[in-house]
Amino acid sequence: MFRSSRWCLLCGCGRPFSSRAWYQLLQKQRGSRKPVTDNPSEVSILSPTRSLSPEETLNLLEASVVHADGKPGELTLLSLLPDLSQKLGFPQNLDVIKAAVKESSGLVLLSGCPSTTQRLQDFYARCRRAGDPAATYCAVTTRIPAASEGEIRTCLKLIQVEDHKLVVPVASPSRGSLQRKEVRKTQTLYKVLDSREGCALVQLQPLTAFTNQLLVSLILLLSPALGDHVYSSRVGSILGEPFLLPAESTLPRTQVLEDALLKKLRLQQQLAHRLPLHLHLHQLLLPAAGSPSSRTVLTAPPPPFFLKTLCLLGLALPQDKNKQ
């Protein structure tokens, strides 16, 4: 695949500085490239209390490269990637083609070849125009969406609320706000992959790209992502029935979980702030070499904390169900 180009694929967490999975992986990979553990009971779903140092993060990113093709190039993903490029020996800068959204885990696709970068960008542009999802996420939600599958179409804008920059839906945007791109139309496909007693594993396929689009889309389904400490406060509950609170006036706070869910997670509410976001870039489409119409699918298994949560909640990915 792209034999004459220079590109690199990373698999890991979108924000490695605080992820429990990355921290555990680092400890193991200091002496071995093997996975941390295959036993879910040995994994914690909480983030570590200590943040990774820059050197530890670089070691982890270097160990998380799952494929590198051709001559390496200087990685430019975030501030640490120039140093990572030296570790990997890439001779030139890499462009970030696709990456898991902030705070989430999953795939990162980088390219150090201008022609390959253009080819990939053209491919993803064609996917958008055709309404063909190129990225597939999976999320654990604290409620089960009313419909098992569907489409979320909404207009979103970014606003400042006190010290927070938040994304809010706009019910009836003006033509001018859309033309000025102050408001963007967004579209997300979703499907419930598994559900159990008030929680679900949901597949999300964005057809547009906007900050926190997936998290806000889940809020509109009244099914916040587990570990969403920014937007989950917008979903209130009266006698067990969820409803939306005003987005513009609802500030972020630590996610409040129902007692039954806390019991399943073996967690106390006072530790809920350490729950990482359970949103994972699971699959990514790539054009196959030598054929513009052919495609290949890259798949990244969820990190250990995500798998541990699925185990505790009795949820399973489709391929895991087939094994049972």
Side-chain angles (χ1 to χ4, degrees), residues 168-181:
V168 299
V170 181
S172 301
S174 66
R175 180 178 300 179
S177 66
L178 291 170
Q179 291 175 342
R180 293 189 299 270
K181 297 184 178 180

Side-chain angles (χ1 to χ4, degrees), residues 130-166:
D132 189 7
T136 298
Y137 287 79
C138 55
V140 177
T141 63
T142 60
R143 293 183 181 274
I144 303 174
S148 60
E149 61 182 298
E151 183 179 25
I152 308 142
R153 288 177 176 265
T154 186
C155 294
L156 299 176
K157 71 174 181 179
L158 190 64
I159 65 171
Q160 186 78 30
V161 181
E162 297 185 7
D163 296 330
H164 307 281
K165 287 186 176 181
L166 301 174

Side-chain angles (χ1 to χ4, degrees), residues 6-260:
R6 296 181 290 278
W7 65 286
C8 180
L9 179 67
L10 293 168
C11 173
C13 178
R15 192 182 181 193
F17 303 97
S18 62
S19 168
R20 175 69 175 181
W22 279 67
Y23 178 71
Q24 288 187 323
L25 187 60
L26 174 65
Q27 306 310 308
K28 187 70 175 181
Q29 287 176 335
R30 281 171 173 166
S32 171
R33 291 296 181 97
K34 296 180 180 180
V36 178
T37 177
D38 292 327
N39 187 353
S41 65
E42 298 177 7
V43 178
S44 172
I45 62 173
L46 299 180
S47 298
T49 55
R50 182 181 74 81
S51 297
L52 299 182
S53 68
E55 181 62 25
E56 289 173 326
T57 304
L58 283 170
N59 290 337
L60 180 55
L61 287 170
E62 180 187 20
S64 298
V65 175
V66 296
H67 183 87
D69 192 6
K71 296 180 181 180
E74 183 185 5
L75 301 177
T76 58
L77 180 66
L78 305 180
S79 61
L80 289 176
L81 289 191
D83 292 332
L84 177 63
S85 68
Q86 294 181 8
K87 282 180 169 288
L88 298 177
F90 281 83
Q92 66 183 58
N93 289 343
L94 284 156
D95 296 315
V96 180
I97 307 299
K98 286 285 184 181
V101 297
K102 186 178 179 182
E103 304 287 348
S104 67
S105 59
L107 291 161
V108 177
L109 180 62
L110 310 169
S111 171
C113 173
S115 62
T116 298
T117 298
Q118 189 61 53
R119 180 182 177 187
L120 290 169
Q121 290 174 341
D122 291 344
F123 170 74
Y124 291 124
R126 290 196 301 271
C127 288
R128 286 192 298 271
R129 289 193 297 268
D132 189 7
T136 298
Y137 287 79
C138 55
V140 177
T141 63
T142 60
R143 293 183 181 274
I144 303 174
S148 60
E149 61 182 298
E151 183 179 25
I152 308 142
R153 288 177 176 265
T154 186
C155 294
L156 299 176
K157 71 174 181 179
L158 190 64
I159 65 171
Q160 186 78 30
V161 181
E162 297 185 7
D163 296 330
H164 307 281
K165 287 186 176 181
L166 301 174
V167 176
V168 299
V170 181
S172 301
S174 66
R175 180 178 300 179
S177 66
L178 291 170
Q179 291 175 342
R180 293 189 299 270
K181 297 184 178 180
E182 299 168 353
V183 179
R184 296 289 187 96
K185 294 181 179 180
T186 66
Q187 184 179 3
T188 303
L189 305 178
Y190 78 92
K191 181 179 181 180
V192 177
L193 300 177
D194 198 9
S195 61
R196 183 74 63 88
E197 299 174 0
C199 55
L201 177 63
V202 179
Q203 174 183 284
L204 297 165
Q205 295 180 310
L207 300 179
T208 53
F210 193 86
T211 304
N212 290 333
Q213 173 182 328
L214 298 181
L215 295 181
V216 176
S217 295
L218 288 173
I219 295 301
L220 297 177
L221 292 177
L222 300 174
S223 302
L226 183 64
D228 177 4
H229 305 299
V230 177
Y231 298 101
S232 62
S233 55
R234 295 180 183 178
V235 179
S237 177
I238 296 179
L239 299 177
E241 293 298 320
F243 65 94
L244 287 176
L245 293 166
E248 292 81 0
S249 58
T250 305
L251 295 177
R253 68 178 183 189
T254 297
Q255 189 172 41
V256 177
L257 302 175
E258 295 184 356
D259 291 340

